[in-house]
Amino acid sequence: MRARGRAARNSGTTDHRTPAQRSAAGPEAPAGSGDAGDERDDGAPDADAEQPADRVSASERLLYGGALRYDMGWAAHRDSLLRLTAWDAMRRLPRMLGVCVRLAWQADRRATTMVAVAETLRGVAQAVVLLGVQRVLAALLAPADITDGVRDALPALAVMAAAAACGALFGAVTTYADGRLRPQVERLAQEQYLRRALSAEMASIEDHGYHKLLESAQFGAASARNMIGYGTRVIATLISLVAAAGVLTSLHPAMLPLLLLMTVPGTWATLAIARQRYRSYHEWLQHNRAVAELSRMAIREDAASEIRVHGVGPFLLHHFHAMSREHEAEQSRLAQRAAAIGLAAAALGGATALLTYLTLGALLWTGAMAFAAAGAAVVAIRAGTTALDGLVRQINDMHEDALFVQDLQRLVEDGDAHDIPEGGERPPAEPGDITVEGLTFAYPGTAAGPVLRDVSLTVPAGRVTALVGENGSGKSTLVKVICGLYLPQHGTVRWSGVDTSRYDRRQLFARFRLVGQDFFRWPFTAGVNVAIGQPDVPADPARMDRAAEAAGATALVDSLPHRWSTLLSRVYQRGHQLSGGQWQKLGIARAAYRDAPVLVVDEPTAALDAKAEQEVFRRIRALADGGRTVILITHRMASVRDADRVHVLHEGRLVESGTPDDLLAAGGSYAEMYDLQAAQFDGRDRETTG
Ligand SMILES: Nc1ncnc2c1ncn2[C@@H]1O[C@H](COP(=O)(O)OP(=O)(O)OP(=O)(O)O)[C@@H](O)[C@H]1O
């Protein structure tokens, strides 16, 4: 494809085999790769199939549980894609040019002006050359003596030469200014995209529809860059076209309609093929993303050992092959249709060209047109059809890219509803007691129903509060709602009795430090991995050392080849690999680096050795003793014994609350979980001592 953005959006080759040939010659399926019989509707290209989503390969069913096709009903592009007619494309041209100019103007006014002026002048130069041809032919063909003819043609030839030289010069100016402009436009658009994506609500990021918009709009930046190029060419082409049309009309009024008629078949073919490509691109977006993801898995660090030890390589390769073939079949179907449309357009184009030249001949024959004028008309027709064809192609390209730029604009302009809202009161520096009242929460867009049901509890200030319960009981969800990451459907979260919905959400986040189960391993230096806990201030090495000390990570940092400057990603040169437990210590140091009154720790010690685990809990306890509020989620019941208060969740409901001693005495769920774990240790002790 023409441009970088488009290359990233499209992929695939062709597979012309029938299903029978495919299963006969297909790759040997490794164990677990699906039943060969499932290939039944992994169909070869079916020219009549209107619904590619019906063709689901065994790989797709096995790996993704069904077809990975977007229902076109979702697409905001749908109408623009499928309604794209020549009239529609022309009608939209001014708006699309407006988009280009606005983007370019925002990025670099000087370069934009240079491009606009140079392209306009280049178009004018081309028009002068065309008019010169008419003059030269008239001068050469009119007098009986060729020497007189050449002499008469000389001034026009000189003007043509000068115009051609100027055209080349303006072309060079455009090349320079356009080359400067395009990367700036792309950067600007990408920054707009990132700003929007980074400020979206968690619920919006997980929202299917919004995620699709985010996915589609990510191509907006590359498309914006492309559009500048197309816009530039459209200006020059339009001027050439006006010149050719002017020349033709001046030669004979019948010529202009014929010129337009000649371009009808090409225009129809270009737009018909484009419509099919748009439809296909959108339907296969998810599928192609999955194929790209399958091939990326081959080099993922976190998958590398399992791929080798479990022999996952052939499995991945097989499914990559099968899914790629499936898309190739779609590509093949498109190619077949494009070839048929192209052939029909060529036949119609030939007929219209014949009609035009026959008319020209008739005009000559009847003496309605002079010989010189007919020669100039042939040149103008050629220039005109080339310009018109080019214009349709450029408008089509622009249109395709404009859809992605439109998505980006839609995201930028209408994304407010999905952003974490700004505004609200400033929350107090210390939240005091945190109380949750009648909280019910369901993840938006899921059919599973509420994962928290009517939960009411208190997290006392300056104490350690433990949340326990079996897997999936809602502990992590509860702390995410308490932190303000998600908004509950019912109920309130209060700080010292004040409803937190009054507070500015971003400032609310600033009161929490979080060591999540799935804290992110930034592929940056060890120092950044800790200092990113407080990214709004410059990294302070002394504070990093203190945070490492608080997390028991000093020895680890000292052991790194470049201490804080050690790059923690083996993907890069000089990269260093940490163990899971070492990462966890850095994650705790990140939270310690952050200056916030409430510490939320979700399974903080899962990857730590026994000594480190004990140390972490000792430090967490010390934090609370120093007045910090700690919310601790853990499955280690022994660690919970040090908590001041324990809340037990079961299937999204609060079932027990109290001090550890009270709950043990009550003999409920907590006591049961505690006894189970204690019995494991007792058993092991007996085994090792027995
Ligand atoms: N982002 C999400 N979108 C939809 N459902 C989710 C999401 N995160 C969690 N869930 C669902 O919410 C329920 C509670 O999950 P949660 O992670 O809060 O449980 P948990 O008690 O912390 O479990 P664990 O002890 O295994 O960490 C689960 O059924 C889970 O499938």
Side-chain angles (χ1 to χ4, degrees):
M1 286 283 153
R2 295 168 303 280
R4 194 149 59 88
R6 191 154 311 146
R9 301 196 296 261
N10 295 286
S11 66
T13 49
T14 51
D15 176 19
H16 300 274
R17 296 178 307 169
T18 63
Q21 286 169 325
R22 190 180 289 234
S23 48
E28 199 62 19
S33 62
D35 183 349
D38 281 358
E39 293 271 322
R40 65 185 161 82
D41 45 9
D42 179 11
D46 172 4
D48 296 317
E50 281 301 327
Q51 295 294 331
D54 293 345
R55 303 195 311 268
V56 187
S57 71
S59 291
E60 240 173 320
R61 260 200 301 272
L62 178 75
L63 301 184
Y64 302 98
L68 288 177
R69 307 284 186 286
Y70 276 152
D71 169 9
M72 283 295 284
W74 74 270
H77 292 176
R78 183 172 185 257
D79 291 344
S80 3
L81 298 177
L82 304 180
R83 266 204 334 249
L84 181 63
T85 59
W87 164 242
D88 207 30
M90 294 293 174
R91 197 170 49 82
R92 289 178 198 192
L93 181 63
R95 207 172 51 143
M96 290 193 292
L97 278 176
V99 170
C100 296
V101 171
R102 205 169 58 231
L103 282 168
W105 193 249
Q106 277 177 351
D108 186 336
R109 295 180 178 198
R110 199 157 154 252
T112 307
T113 313
M114 277 168 84
V115 169
V117 171
E119 275 310 279
T120 308
L121 293 177
R122 191 151 74 110
V124 172
Q126 282 170 358
V128 170
V129 171
L130 199 58
L131 292 169
V133 170
Q134 185 197 1
R135 288 285 166 82
V136 169
L137 284 176
L140 288 178
L141 298 174
D145 183 356
I146 188 68
T147 322
D148 289 347
V150 171
R151 202 182 43 241
D152 290 350
L154 275 179
L157 277 171
V159 171
M160 279 173 68
C166 287
L169 190 70
F170 295 133
V173 172
T174 301
T175 306
Y176 163 71
D178 181 64
R180 224 178 74 171
L181 192 57
R182 286 211 242 171
Q184 295 190 71
V185 166
E186 185 171 6
R187 181 207 15 95
L188 198 82
Q190 190 66 21
E191 282 172 358
Q192 289 180 341
Y193 173 78
L194 288 175
R195 234 172 258 129
R196 207 35 126 186
L198 290 170
S199 60
E201 288 269 15
M202 283 290 287
S204 298
I205 293 285
E206 291 170 358
D207 177 75
H208 206 40
Y210 195 63
H211 203 267
K212 281 175 200 158
L213 179 62
L214 281 169
E215 213 171 351
S216 185
Q218 71 180 308
F219 299 116
S223 292
R225 180 192 177 116
N226 297 340
M227 275 188 72
I228 300 300
Y230 302 138
T232 308
R233 264 170 269 151
V234 161
I235 299 173
T237 313
L238 271 175
I239 294 172
S240 309
L241 188 62
V242 169
V247 168
L248 277 176
T249 314
S250 72
L251 293 173
H252 196 282
M255 286 289 103
L256 188 59
L258 285 171
L259 170 71
L260 294 175
L261 187 68
M262 277 177 74
T263 56
V264 167
T267 306
W268 164 73
T270 305
L271 298 181
I273 293 169
R275 273 197 296 270
Q276 299 208 358
R277 223 181 38 197
Y278 295 159
R279 179 195 283 274
S280 166
Y281 163 70
H282 276 278
E283 279 177 354
W284 288 78
L285 187 67
Q286 273 204 346
H287 180 280
N288 291 345
R289 189 179 60 174
V291 173
E293 185 63 30
L294 272 177
S295 77
R296 269 198 300 276
M297 281 172 199
I299 56 164
R300 274 180 64 156
E301 267 182 288
D302 50 352
S305 43
E306 194 169 322
I307 285 176
R308 279 147 190 82
V309 174
H310 289 184
V312 185
F315 175 88
L316 287 179
L317 202 57
H318 166 76
H319 292 296
F320 172 82
H321 177 90
M323 288 186 63
S324 301
R325 294 293 252 184
E326 203 184 343
H327 186 233
E328 286 164 12
E330 166 69 2
Q331 298 274 299
S332 171
R333 186 184 70 87
L334 284 180
Q336 265 179 20
R337 291 198 171 183
I341 291 172
L343 213 56
L348 284 172
T352 53
L354 189 66
L355 179 69
T356 305
Y357 289 115
L358 283 176
T359 310
L360 206 56
L363 290 173
L364 262 179
W365 185 259
T366 55
M369 190 183 264
F371 202 59
V378 170
V379 176
I381 285 171
R382 285 211 64 78
T385 47
T386 309
L388 253 177
D389 282 346
L391 190 65
V392 171
R393 256 199 318 277
Q394 282 148 16
I395 292 176
N396 174 46
D397 291 344
M398 269 179 97
H399 182 80
E400 188 175 338
D401 277 302
L403 295 171
F404 294 97
V405 175
Q406 266 172 34
D407 274 347
L408 179 61
Q409 286 188 321
R410 201 151 63 90
L411 187 77
V412 171
E413 285 161 16
D414 307 338
D416 281 348
H418 293 272
D419 268 9
I420 297 171
E422 284 187 63
E425 291 173 26
R426 185 181 172 75
E430 296 286 339
D433 288 352
I434 300 174
T435 45
V436 169
E437 287 173 13
L439 197 120
T440 295
F441 175 76
Y443 281 99
T446 57
V451 293
L452 294 173
R453 294 162 194 268
D454 198 22
V455 174
S456 298
L457 52 79
T458 302
V459 175
R463 297 271 182 271
V464 176
T465 300
L467 297 178
V468 299
E470 75 273 26
N471 293 130
S473 55
K475 305 178 296 292
S476 303
T477 305
L478 179 59
V479 291
K480 284 177 187 163
V481 176
I482 289 177
C483 293
L485 273 174
Y486 293 96
L487 299 175
Q489 282 84 22
H490 297 287
T492 48
V493 178
R494 295 180 188 277
W495 286 7
S496 304
V498 179
D499 189 343
T500 53
S501 62
R502 291 163 54 167
Y503 297 140
D504 179 78
R505 294 262 302 288
R506 290 158 204 257
Q507 294 187 46
L508 203 77
F509 295 148
R511 304 294 183 266
F512 289 94
R513 32 179 147 177
L514 193 68
V515 189
Q517 262 177 2
D518 45 3
F519 71 89
F520 195 67
R521 300 175 177 192
W522 296 97
F524 305 138
T525 61
V528 169
N529 263 284
V530 170
I532 209 161
Q534 194 77 52
D536 50 342
V537 294
D540 172 1
R543 187 168 160 185
M544 275 149 50
D545 285 340
R546 284 197 299 278
E549 161 69 19
T554 305
L556 162 66
V557 174
D558 289 340
S559 74
L560 295 174
H562 308 286
R563 273 198 104 238
W564 287 120
S565 304
T566 307
L567 177 57
L568 300 182
S569 170
R570 288 296 305 277
V571 170
Y572 300 103
Q573 228 177 0
R574 294 184 286 107
H576 186 85
Q577 180 74 50
L578 291 187
S579 74
Q582 289 170 332
W583 266 114
Q584 197 148 13
K585 283 182 184 169
L586 277 195
I588 296 168
R590 187 183 301 162
Y593 187 87
R594 188 169 169 78
D595 184 20
V598 184
L599 172 66
V600 176
V601 274
D602 191 346
E603 284 296 349
T605 59
L608 295 185
D609 59 54
K611 206 168 124 203
E613 180 185 343
Q614 208 179 26
E615 183 60 17
V616 165
F617 281 116
R618 192 184 64 75
R619 286 171 198 276
I620 288 174
R621 182 69 254 173
L623 270 172
D625 291 342
R628 296 292 190 209
T629 305
V630 179
I631 305 176
L632 168 68
I633 299 178
T634 182
H635 291 285
R636 317 245 170 153
M637 294 303 136
S639 317
V640 175
R641 287 224 59 177
D642 277 341
D644 297 294
R645 184 165 301 198
V646 181
H647 297 297
V648 184
L649 289 173
H650 176 68
E651 294 179 355
R653 291 186 191 279
L654 183 73
V655 289
E656 283 172 38
S657 281
T659 65
D661 288 340
D662 288 347
L663 295 186
L664 279 179
S669 312
Y670 173 71
E672 192 186 333
M673 288 187 277
Y674 187 93
D675 288 344
L676 262 172
Q677 285 189 359
Q680 277 177 357
F681 278 110
D682 290 349
R684 220 176 291 161
D685 284 349
R686 270 196 298 280
E687 271 169 31
T688 48
T689 53

